[in-house]
């Protein structure tokens, strides 16, 4: 059975990834700190007759990740794909940014990616599963707005960690790649108590060469490709509608 384990899987991009993989025949294991969102999505997946499980999980805590992985193996089987999507941003002025806020973002976004990858890869290797790890990075690894240093550093670290793990896990035939989303609209992909219909201006849309803002489904399609593309490893795929290569001049 194909089993995908998704961190930060209950809302936004993670929710889109879960629904997309389920539609393509995967059993889905969700890890997320939001209990209500996770239970709602679990119910939706069950209604669609997808095999699924959910655990409230802090990915920065190895014991919590171990418990989630054990539940996944018990309920669904060992993951054949891991998608490291969990992450968040704290936006504060750089000169006033508390060290504990910087550390908190790094702990979830980058440390969490390492913890989950190491624990899942050990199980894949032990069972001789030639699986795949897909890390959700960001175009902010390469370009920035002010006052996002923790998030930017974490996403840059994920890109570097991706090619490092790809080489370290090559002998186990475990492929590792990353996806770097650009502007992805997630407000209408939240759990129902938080969902809202987004509105984008013409200027918003025209920042993108494809003429629209991205959706979680766009990132889910990229993750599925990298999960199944057997001759691709160590790569970072930018999925941003051409936004980061479009030159914009002030009028």
């Amino acid at each position: 059975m194909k089993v995908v384990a998704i961190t930060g899987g209950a809302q936004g991009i993670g929710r889109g990834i879960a629904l997309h993989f389920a539609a393509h025949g995967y059993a889905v294991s969700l890890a997320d700190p939001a209990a209500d969102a996770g239970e709602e999505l679990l119910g939706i997946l069950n209604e669609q007759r997808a095999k699924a499980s959910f655990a409230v999980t802090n990915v920065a805590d190895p014991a919590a990740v171990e418990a989630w992985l054990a539940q996944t193996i018990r309920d669904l089987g060992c993951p054949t794909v891991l998608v490291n999507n969990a992450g968040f941003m704290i936006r504060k002025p750089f000169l006033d940014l508390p060290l504990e806020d910087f550390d908190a973002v790094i702990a979830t976004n980058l440390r969490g990616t390492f913890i989950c990858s190491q624990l899942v890869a050990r199980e894949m290797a032990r069972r001789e599963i030639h699986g795949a790890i897909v890390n959700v990075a960001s175009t902010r690894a390469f370009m920035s707005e002010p006052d996002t240093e923790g998030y930017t550093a974490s996403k840059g670290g994920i890109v570097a960690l991706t090619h490092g793990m790809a080489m370290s896990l090559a002998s186990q035939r475990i492929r590792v790649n990353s996806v770097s989303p650009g502007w992805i609209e997630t407000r209408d992909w939240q759990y129902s108590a938080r969902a809202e219909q987004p509105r984008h201006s013409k200027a918003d849309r025209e920042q993108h060469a494809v003429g629209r803002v991205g959706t979680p489904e766009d990132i889910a399609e990229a993750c599925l490709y990298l999960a199944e593309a057997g001759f691709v490893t160590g790569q970072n795929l930018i999925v941003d509608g051409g936004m980061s290569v479009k030159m914009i001049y002030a009028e």
Side-chain angles (χ1 to χ4, degrees):
M1 177 185 294
K2 299 185 297 184
V3 179
V4 61
I6 307 167
T7 69
Q11 300 185 78
I13 290 175
R15 183 184 181 100
I17 293 169
L19 292 168
H20 191 73
F21 272 74
H24 284 78
Y26 282 78
V28 178
S29 177
L30 307 169
D32 200 284
D36 290 348
E39 292 296 339
E40 179 181 272
L41 182 54
L42 181 62
I44 291 170
L45 291 167
N46 287 336
E47 288 175 3
Q48 296 176 352
R49 300 185 181 278
K51 292 185 176 181
S53 68
F54 165 64
V56 175
T57 308
N58 171 12
V59 298
D61 178 2
V65 176
E66 286 177 353
W68 169 54
L69 179 57
Q71 176 183 308
T72 301
I73 293 170
R74 183 186 69 242
D75 294 348
L76 304 174
C78 183
T80 55
V81 177
L82 168 67
V83 180
N84 286 305
N85 171 69
F88 75 105
M89 178 190 295
I90 295 176
R91 188 191 296 265
K92 290 183 180 178
F94 175 72
L95 297 180
D96 302 317
L97 179 66
L99 183 57
E100 57 266 28
D101 286 355
F102 182 87
D103 288 345
V105 174
I106 296 295
T108 292
N109 299 11
L110 182 56
R111 172 185 162 93
T113 295
F114 174 83
I115 291 170
C116 293
S117 297
Q118 186 180 62
L119 291 174
V120 172
R122 283 174 179 166
E123 288 297 324
M124 288 178 175
R126 187 170 71 84
R127 300 162 190 264
E128 297 185 346
I129 294 172
H130 297 168
I133 296 172
V134 182
N135 300 321
V136 178
S138 173
T139 53
R140 290 173 186 264
F142 314 103
M143 52 193 291
S144 296
E145 291 181 303
D147 305 326
T148 60
E149 280 71 27
Y151 190 80
T152 296
S154 71
K155 295 302 184 176
I158 287 171
V159 172
L161 183 62
T162 294
H163 58 72
M165 291 194 304
M167 294 301 97
S168 297
L169 294 173
S171 61
Q172 307 293 336
R173 298 297 181 262
I174 298 171
R175 296 180 302 101
V176 188
N177 293 285
S178 60
V179 175
S180 284
W183 181 354
I184 305 299
E185 182 55 72
T186 61
R187 285 177 293 176
D188 54 347
W189 287 76
Q190 305 301 333
Y191 111 97
S192 58
R194 294 182 54 197
E196 61 178 290
Q197 186 65 41
R199 296 181 180 179
H200 301 123
S201 68
K202 185 172 183 287
D204 292 337
R205 296 190 298 273
E206 290 185 351
Q207 288 186 67
H208 301 81
V210 299
R212 65 174 177 85
V213 175
T215 70
E217 178 73 12
D218 294 315
I219 305 307
E221 289 175 350
C223 289
L224 182 63
Y225 163 72
L226 291 174
E228 298 187 345
F231 200 55
V232 180
T233 195
Q235 302 304 305
N236 176 65
L237 179 60
I238 294 177
V239 183
D240 71 347
M243 189 178 186
S244 61
V245 296
K246 181 177 181 180
M247 296 181 69
I248 299 175
Y249 294 92
E251 295 183 357

